[in-house]
């Protein structure tokens, strides 16, 4: 390979090949956990959270790249990210489904066994086609096995708006 060709090759693949300087160090972003009412999203109704992260999401493996983008990519020890998600009513092969979206990216669906009950509860609570929920994304070591979980109070109910802060009395 000519000198120029070799230089171009090295420039294109820089960082992809171990040059003997040791393995690339992954960042340590173990946790981006949040507190408070962070899952509100515009005019969409926010659902009240439950205790813990009891609602599973399925199909995350189909959205690995989306989840990697949302968590910032692989990390040294894995990562936990608390965020808001949208539940969207949908249909797949003639069956009602509920899709889960985070920051405009699809990350999975509600398991089929839970869909009918959740849709009934959404109707009973007067929730339309979409709602926001409290969500958690976890990823294992070096980005392995992404998992999305939701926190939902059951039966579903809307989260009350937070009270405005009181001005200092002093």
């Amino acid at each position: 390979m000519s000198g120029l060709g070799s230089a171009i090759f090295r420039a294109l693949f820089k960082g992809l090949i171990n040059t003997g300087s040791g393995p690339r160090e992954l960042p340590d972003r173990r946790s981006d956990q949040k507190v408070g009412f962070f899952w509100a999203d515009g005019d969409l109704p926010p659902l009240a959270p439950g205790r813990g992260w009891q609602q599973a999401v399925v199909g995350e493996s189909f959205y690995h790249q989306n989840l990697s983008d949302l968590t910032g990519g692989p990390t040294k020890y894995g990562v936990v990210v608390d965020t808001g998600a949208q539940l969207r009513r949908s249909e797949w092969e003639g069956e009602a489904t509920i899709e889960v979206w985070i920051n405009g990216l699809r990350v999975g669906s509600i398991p089929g066994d839970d869909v009918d009950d959740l849709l009934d509860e959404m109707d009973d609570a007067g929730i339309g086609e979409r709602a926001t929920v409290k969500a958690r994304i976890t990823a294992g070591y070096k980005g392995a096995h992404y998992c999305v979980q939701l926190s939902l109070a059951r039966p579903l109910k809307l989260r009350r708006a937070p009270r405005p802060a009181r001005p200092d009395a002093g």
Side-chain angles (χ1 to χ4, degrees), residues 48-55 134 150-154:
R51 293 180 182 260
W53 304 95
Q54 75 285 12
Q55 179 60 59
K134 188 175 176 180
L150 308 176
S151 180
L152 294 171
R154 301 292 299 271

Side-chain angles (χ1 to χ4, degrees), residues 62-155:
F62 294 105
Y63 305 101
H64 187 90
Q65 185 59 53
N66 291 350
L67 289 162
S68 178
D69 293 346
L70 290 166
T71 58
T75 63
K76 188 173 185 176
Y77 300 107
V79 68
V80 175
V81 177
D82 289 348
T83 187
Q86 281 187 18
L87 299 183
R88 298 181 182 182
R89 294 178 190 240
S90 187
E91 210 173 276
W92 186 70
E93 293 187 355
E95 296 290 325
T97 63
I98 301 174
E99 298 173 349
V100 180
W101 292 70
I102 299 176
N103 292 345
L105 300 172
R106 183 150 178 214
V107 296
S109 301
I110 298 296
D113 293 345
D114 298 338
V115 169
D116 289 336
D117 290 339
L118 279 172
L119 288 173
D120 289 343
E121 291 177 27
M122 287 174 78
D123 291 338
D124 292 345
I127 299 164
E129 296 296 310
R130 296 180 182 184
T132 61
V133 299
K134 188 175 176 180
R136 173 171 279 174
I137 305 169
T138 57
Y141 174 69
K142 294 188 178 181
H145 185 69
Y146 287 97
C147 179
V148 178
Q149 297 171 304
L150 308 176
S151 180
L152 294 171
R154 301 292 299 271

